[in-house]
Amino acid sequence: MSSAFEVRGGNRLQGEIIPQGAKNEALQIISAVMLTPEKVTISNIPDIVDVNLLIELLGEAGVKINRVSRDVCEFQADAIDLDYLQSPEFKKKSGRLRGSVMIAGPLLARFGKAFIPKPGGDKIGRRRLDTHIIGFERLGARFIYDSDDNFFRLETNGLKGTYMLLDEPSVTGTANIVMAAVMAEGTTTIYNAACEPYLQQLCKMLVRMGAKIQGIGSNLLTIEGVQYLKGCEHAMLPDMIEIGSFIGLAAMTQSEITIKNAGVEHLGIIPEKFRQLGINLQIRGNDIYIPSQDTYEIQTFLDGSILTISDHPWPGFTPDLLSIVLVVATQAKGSVMIHQKMFESRLFFVDKLIDMGAQIVLCDPHRAVVIGLGRQHNLRGITMSSPDIRAGVSLLIAALSAEGKSTIQNIDQIDRGYQYIDERLRKLGADIKRI
């Protein structure tokens, strides 16, 4: 029986909160330690289920791991057990963790073979591995799919640089291809590459290890292969999804919150999107201060038509924050259309918000119109289940602003992405407990 959160809403929160390290960056950065036999030290690691599972998986594959503190870890991949990577234990464990696909690029680059489970993970529609596999094939890897055990096997006698145009700027796909290409023979050019801060961080780390990468931060990467990569140190960025969640939380609960060390220069368009909802937020150095606001009003387009907020590959608005924006809009004044272009079924949690009293029209699986209640009617607490990580936190924010008691079940989904979220919210004055 998984645990649940019991939340009593209506408290105004106050204080400072520090975002955890970025989960999406962590899965790439930690996989990259397999590219070198030397020691790599990584700091600001988020202490969450998905990341800890990946670290455990690397340990079982022979990587020496020294967890210096909760958020600092030393890795040394000088004795990888390639047989383990074909064992039933690896298949079982890696199948539980979508991030395990990220070790394929480093393994191919360094050892000429890799194994990938068919992806599992949270319910946000079909996540295909096409970009990864096609990219590896372009670099000269052969792949065999074993339908008996849902496993992809990849092998190569030596990767060779090439030109490739990705059919989608997949963040994990680009990262995996970059990690394979840094040790390929010759030059690899990746066009329509993802350019998220996570990927920029990975490229900067690889350059410190001795890789030759040009075009970091753009969608055209040029990689000149090298024969050896050395160890390095790397500090991860704060998690922009958490930062966006805290901005939304402050607005919904009329709270005064300061988000410390928010990596402001890496947030792209995120602060601007929350300002479009009427949220007053102030950038103070590397912190974000959100004053207590009684009301906030959604802007319209210049011609007065209804605002649309949609997701788009970076530097557009990240799909991971659309559910937060949707929840926050329920208590704003005004209306907004939320258009989720990049994934199916990410809006399927709105029925829970409607049960709580929100006014939302779900037009189709990708679009929802939110009619803001301007706080005239508070949401009311209900019992609900969290379908995935991002929706889970959105529902948690809704519950913290609602009248009465809410129970959120299936919270392991939330724990997979947010460390000690209940403890951290209690410090701000939230009434939340695990049951």
Side-chain angles (χ1 to χ4, degrees):
M1 171 69 189
S2 101
S3 51
F5 283 140
E6 186 177 284
V7 179
R8 291 181 191 277
N11 287 10
R12 290 197 179 199
L13 314 182
Q14 189 165 20
E16 295 182 347
I17 193 161
I18 300 174
Q20 66 187 26
K23 171 196 161 183
N24 290 351
E25 181 184 334
L27 298 174
Q28 302 174 22
I29 294 291
I30 291 168
S31 301
V33 306
M34 298 185 93
L35 283 164
T36 175
E38 296 183 25
K39 189 170 83 174
V40 177
T41 305
I42 300 175
S43 55
N44 202 24
I45 296 177
D47 188 1
I48 53 177
V49 174
D50 277 8
V51 171
N52 293 336
L53 263 177
L54 181 62
I55 293 174
E56 215 176 286
L57 198 65
L58 294 189
E60 287 175 13
V63 180
K64 298 183 182 71
I65 290 167
N66 175 23
R67 197 98 185 219
V68 183
S69 64
R70 220 157 62 171
D71 64 336
V72 178
C73 198
E74 296 171 345
F75 300 87
Q76 189 157 2
D78 56 356
I80 301 285
D81 176 2
L82 290 173
D83 294 335
Y84 168 72
L85 298 171
Q86 302 175 60
S87 67
E89 298 85 59
F90 173 74
K91 287 174 183 169
K92 190 173 171 202
K93 190 160 217 168
S94 62
R96 282 169 47 207
L97 173 68
R98 178 172 283 137
S100 62
V101 66
M102 298 308 301
I103 64 176
L107 289 172
L108 261 184
R110 199 164 145 215
F111 303 106
K113 52 181 155 178
F115 311 90
I116 311 180
K118 217 170 164 199
D122 57 9
K123 293 180 192 158
I124 49 170
R126 300 185 305 278
R127 288 249 181 128
R128 297 184 309 274
L129 290 176
D130 301 37
T131 308
H132 301 248
I133 306 270
I134 292 167
F136 293 148
E137 283 188 314
R138 295 266 168 83
L139 292 169
R142 295 177 300 285
F143 101 97
I144 306 114
Y145 176 58
D146 187 337
S147 54
D148 291 343
D149 59 4
N150 267 356
F151 236 67
F152 294 102
R153 287 177 178 68
L154 292 148
E155 50 192 48
T156 177
N157 303 328
L159 299 175
K160 293 202 169 28
T162 184
Y163 170 86
M164 62 180 90
L165 172 61
L166 304 187
D167 69 337
E168 56 169 2
S170 154
V171 179
T172 53
T174 305
N176 230 340
I177 296 165
V178 167
M179 289 190 282
V182 285
M183 292 174 81
E185 187 188 317
T187 303
T188 301
T189 307
I190 308 171
Y191 199 17
N192 196 22
C195 40
E196 267 74 359
Y198 316 126
L199 199 91
Q200 296 177 35
Q201 286 282 97
L202 172 68
C203 290
K204 287 171 187 168
M205 170 183 172
L206 293 171
V207 168
R208 285 198 296 278
M209 293 167 77
K212 295 181 176 172
I213 306 174
Q214 288 180 313
I216 297 173
S218 78
N219 64 352
L220 181 61
L221 293 174
T222 308
I223 300 163
E224 208 180 309
V226 297
Q227 285 181 329
Y228 184 82
L229 293 174
K230 57 183 193 290
C232 72
E233 293 183 3
H234 179 82
M236 299 204 313
L237 290 178
D239 195 310
M240 61 167 113
I241 314 307
E242 262 212 354
I243 292 163
S245 304
F246 297 147
I247 295 171
L249 170 69
M252 279 288 276
T253 56
Q254 298 169 281
S255 303
E256 182 187 356
I257 293 177
T258 301
I259 305 168
K260 300 292 286 180
N261 312 333
V264 169
E265 62 175 310
H266 303 286
L267 292 176
I269 205 164
I270 291 169
E272 187 46 44
K273 286 293 161 191
F274 284 101
R275 287 187 177 119
Q276 286 181 349
L277 294 178
I279 296 169
N280 178 5
L281 56 99
Q282 297 160 22
I283 309 270
R284 297 181 171 177
N286 201 26
D287 301 342
I288 299 175
Y289 170 73
I290 303 112
S292 170
Q293 274 178 275
D294 289 339
T295 56
Y296 46 99
E297 187 165 352
I298 298 171
Q299 297 174 3
T300 56
F301 285 121
L302 291 175
D303 63 359
S305 58
I306 290 181
L307 183 70
T308 298
I309 294 184
S310 55
D311 54 342
H312 197 269
W314 189 271
F317 190 57
T318 168
D320 285 337
L321 281 172
L322 269 188
S323 53
I324 304 286
V325 163
L326 189 147
V327 166
V328 175
T330 63
Q331 292 303 303
K333 280 183 177 167
S335 304
V336 62
M337 158 86 81
I338 304 292
H339 189 173
Q340 165 62 277
K341 298 174 185 173
M342 290 168 67
F343 296 103
E344 304 95 19
S345 67
R346 272 219 178 163
L347 295 179
F348 287 168
F349 72 102
V350 302
D351 54 341
K352 324 248 189 337
L353 296 173
I354 293 168
D355 289 347
M356 295 175 84
Q359 297 205 336
I360 304 170
V361 181
L362 186 60
C363 312
D364 56 44
H366 290 275
R367 293 178 307 154
V369 174
V370 184
I371 298 142
L373 298 169
R375 298 206 201 279
Q376 287 174 357
H377 308 285
N378 285 336
L379 299 179
R380 52 182 178 270
I382 61 166
T383 295
M384 52 197 158
S385 175
S386 162
D388 65 60
I389 297 175
R390 306 307 175 196
V393 170
S394 308
L395 294 171
L396 179 56
I397 291 172
L400 287 164
S401 76
E403 270 175 15
K405 183 180 87 171
S406 294
T407 307
I408 304 176
Q409 293 154 348
N410 192 23
I411 58 167
D412 351 338
Q413 285 285 8
I414 299 176
D415 288 336
R416 283 182 44 216
Y418 293 82
Q419 62 184 13
Y420 328 114
I421 189 75
D422 46 334
E423 284 174 36
R424 293 156 76 205
L425 292 174
R426 272 197 295 275
K427 285 183 183 148
L428 296 176
D431 187 342
I432 173 174
K433 61 178 188 228
R434 279 176 194 258
I435 51 172

